Amino acid sequence: MGPVAHGGHCVARHEGRVVFVRHTLPGERVLVRVTEDRHPGYCRADAVEIRTPAPGRVPRPCPYSGPGLCGGCDWQHVAPDEQRRLKAAVVREQLSRLAGLHDVAVTVEELPGGPLRWRSRARFAVDRSGAPGLRRHRSHDVVVLDDCPITAEPAASAVLRHRWPGAGAVDVAIDSTGAVTTTRLDRRGHPQATRVLPPGSEVPAEPTARAERRAGGRDWQVEGTGFWQVHPAAADALVAAVESFAAVRTGDTVLDLYAGAGLFGGALAPAVGRGGRVVCVEADAAACAAADANLAALPQAEVWQGEVDAQGLAELIAELGDGPDVVVLDPPRAGAGPAVSKQIAATGARAVVYVACDPAALARDVAAFGGNGYRLAALRSFDAFPMTAHVECVALLEPIPPT
Ligand SMILES: C[S@@+](CC[C@H](N)C(=O)[O-])C[C@H]1O[C@@H](n2cnc3c(N)ncnc32)[C@H](O)[C@@H]1O
């Protein structure tokens, strides 16, 4: 078996074609079963018999994981420290292939809490009979589950020990007090009903209650199942990385783009002081309401509801007058894209701190920044999604000094 590739598989070659193989490790000899053969240049396969195991292989802790079973995890068969080495290799490879940076040192840092029961927020699918589960890899089929060992308890039980007739999916989140919020979605993905179970209780409370999360030494309010870092230790780790890369000074103007409930803007606001300014930009109305509440005691911080796109950003920057000193961005999986990256680079900000949940999108945007006068100055990566192929990165981009 050849090297690991982005997406939770390894690369093999057969009769001149690339084969992306799941459930294996680099260096293994395995028998594969082809699972998808639609493209002339490559096919997909599962390793179904391990002839020569790699040293990093371990028994899977989850009984639902394996070829043809639940598609939720990619690396259940891999020891956690080896998972982190695989993820580091993927980040390195993406930066090399997509950003032309061939010598970036990457270490994926472990977060506290172990590889299981870390998922504090999840979406489970529901089959036609109302049974909850997760989808098979690259399929719409629902694998019915009675537990998901990476999901925190009692959040997993709150969904998987019940039936949800007529629902298409169920979102669940557990906050830092232990309160569990479930939101039932219809088959089009629209929310239908929310239920909140207070800590240790089976009796639902008022569903308007906001979830509470703790990070950076303070409490934050979040909409029940709204966006918050999934791993309970991730928000702290990311805030610390963002603070150190941003190196904010008193009086600075900071933009926090794709701000969610205001986590990074709120963490940086005390350092800019009353003479500085932090503008958090977020599209989602409920997240903006949570951010407003979270930043209420920080008059130097404000929340702007709007889309981060090239036009919106141009208008925002024009309104700011002087350009921002520091820009933090934490876009969704697809990344910021070349137009937004170019617009941010045009501000001439002293530091751009890019938080990314997909190393491919990060690498493409780093390339866009590179074409607009910024270089990758530092990078940290975190294993915020153990057992899966996902990895969270924080990159510092700085203006390229004149030669
Ligand atoms: C990865 S989350 C980051 C949230 C926040 N930084 C945190 O760590 O809690 C991305 C956020 O971007 C918002 N978003 C997605 N697309 C957007 C866009 N085009 N403009 C503004 N916000 C957007 C989403 O609603 C979500 O809150």
Side-chain angles (χ1 to χ4, degrees):
M1 190 56 55
V4 63
H6 182 256
H9 40 231
C10 296
V11 184
R13 285 181 191 276
H14 179 69
E15 295 176 350
R17 287 178 86 200
V18 168
V19 189
F20 293 113
V21 185
R22 283 173 62 77
H23 308 291
T24 187
L25 275 170
E28 290 192 325
R29 275 194 70 233
V30 300
L31 186 69
V32 308
R33 179 174 58 221
V34 173
T35 52
E36 190 185 300
D37 193 3
R38 294 194 241 138
H39 305 274
Y42 69 88
C43 63
R44 300 180 186 278
D46 282 347
V48 290
E49 193 182 306
I50 313 303
R51 301 255 165 102
T52 314
R57 180 173 281 275
V58 294
R60 294 180 175 86
C62 175
Y64 298 104
S65 161
L69 301 178
C70 173
C73 291
D74 310 285
W75 298 130
Q76 285 269 345
H77 60 288
V78 183
D81 54 349
E82 182 62 15
Q83 292 182 26
R84 291 191 290 279
R85 280 192 285 273
L86 295 176
K87 295 182 197 202
V90 167
V91 175
R92 257 193 312 275
E93 189 263 339
Q94 295 294 302
L95 287 169
S96 169
R97 198 160 58 79
L98 299 172
L101 302 173
H102 305 302
D103 52 4
V104 181
V106 183
T107 303
V108 174
E109 301 171 40
E110 182 179 10
L111 294 182
L116 300 175
R117 301 286 176 213
W118 53 268
R119 185 174 267 288
S120 68
R121 199 161 57 78
R123 171 166 295 180
F124 290 99
V126 176
D127 75 7
R128 291 276 165 192
S129 78
L134 287 169
R135 297 200 188 275
R136 221 181 288 288
H137 185 62
R138 296 178 69 80
S139 160
H140 292 296
D141 294 351
V142 177
V143 177
V144 175
L145 307 174
D146 64 10
D147 187 17
C148 170
I150 64 167
T151 301
E153 283 289 29
S157 304
V159 179
L160 299 176
R161 301 279 164 84
H162 298 271
R163 294 187 73 79
W164 303 83
V170 183
D171 283 348
V172 64
I174 180 164
D175 76 3
S176 50
T177 70
V180 174
T181 303
T182 50
T183 301
R184 174 198 166 95
L185 309 172
D186 68 15
R187 296 211 167 266
R188 290 173 162 186
H190 298 140
Q192 286 182 310
T194 291
R195 199 174 72 141
V196 178
L197 292 177
S201 167
E202 298 275 308
V203 184
E206 271 302 298
T208 51
R210 285 245 174 97
E212 279 181 34
R213 301 286 198 153
R214 199 159 172 83
R218 55 163 284 193
D219 292 323
W220 303 79
Q221 290 191 18
V222 193
E223 190 210 1
T225 49
F227 185 89
W228 188 255
Q229 299 297 333
V230 174
H231 193 294
D236 261 343
L238 296 179
V239 162
V242 167
E243 279 175 340
S244 81
F245 283 174
V248 160
R249 303 171 192 160
T250 309
D252 272 353
T253 296
V254 176
L255 283 187
D256 176 11
L257 305 178
Y258 313 92
L263 174 67
F264 299 129
L268 296 176
V272 307
R274 298 273 171 126
R277 189 173 182 193
V278 174
V279 180
C280 297
V281 185
E282 164 62 45
D284 181 71
C288 286
D292 273 332
N294 289 323
L295 305 178
L298 295 161
Q300 66 272 43
E302 61 207 277
V303 180
W304 291 27
Q305 186 183 350
E307 291 284 328
V308 176
D309 55 20
Q311 191 191 334
L313 210 46
E315 286 167 11
L316 167 62
I317 288 160
E319 274 202 58
L320 282 180
D322 283 348
D325 301 288
V326 172
V327 177
V328 178
L329 70 157
D330 183 8
R333 232 183 133 57
V340 167
S341 302
K342 184 176 175 187
Q343 195 88 45
I344 295 171
T347 66
R350 185 176 76 231
V352 174
V353 184
Y354 191 137
V355 182
C357 61
D358 181 358
L362 173 66
R364 282 192 292 270
D365 288 344
V366 166
F369 275 98
N372 288 284
Y374 277 71
R375 68 182 178 104
L376 179 67
L379 177 75
R380 287 182 71 186
S381 304
F382 300 94
D383 194 6
F385 310 93
M387 300 292 186
T388 78
H390 298 282
V391 57
E392 191 81 21
C393 296
V394 184
L396 171 61
L397 297 151
E398 287 178 344
I400 298 168
T403 48

